[in-house]
Amino acid sequence: MTNYEFVDSLPDLVQPEEYADHPTGGLVRLRISVENGEISILGDALRPELIEQLLEALGPDAIQQMLCG
């Protein structure tokens, strides 16, 4: 089971000016990086459930998530 860790901030991969170009909310962006042998996947989406499903399918121990208001 994946644990969610709430954090104060994460980099934005989707910018507000892009919202109008994706009225159905289907925009998802990923950034995959490798540093010191560790793989990090940063994701951002207009619809949070899309990115959550994708990241959970990868089977990580934890997913860091930022609460948006």
Side-chain angles (χ1 to χ4, degrees):
M1 182 172 144
T2 301
N3 292 314
Y4 278 82
E5 301 171 355
F6 296 102
V7 296
D8 292 332
S9 66
L10 291 167
D12 287 323
L13 300 180
V14 176
Q15 301 304 314
E17 57 270 13
E18 296 178 278
Y19 298 173
D21 295 334
H22 304 276
T24 61
L27 179 63
V28 175
R29 288 224 172 97
L30 295 172
R31 180 186 299 157
I32 302 170
S33 58
V34 179
E35 188 173 320
N36 298 323
E38 183 175 301
I39 298 170
S40 296
I41 301 172
L42 177 65
D44 198 356
L46 295 180
R47 294 177 47 209
E49 65 273 12
L50 294 176
I51 196 66
E52 289 172 1
Q53 291 172 2
L54 178 67
L55 293 174
E56 285 181 6
L58 297 172
D61 293 331
I63 294 175
Q64 292 183 332
Q65 183 176 32
M66 186 176 87
L67 297 175
C68 300

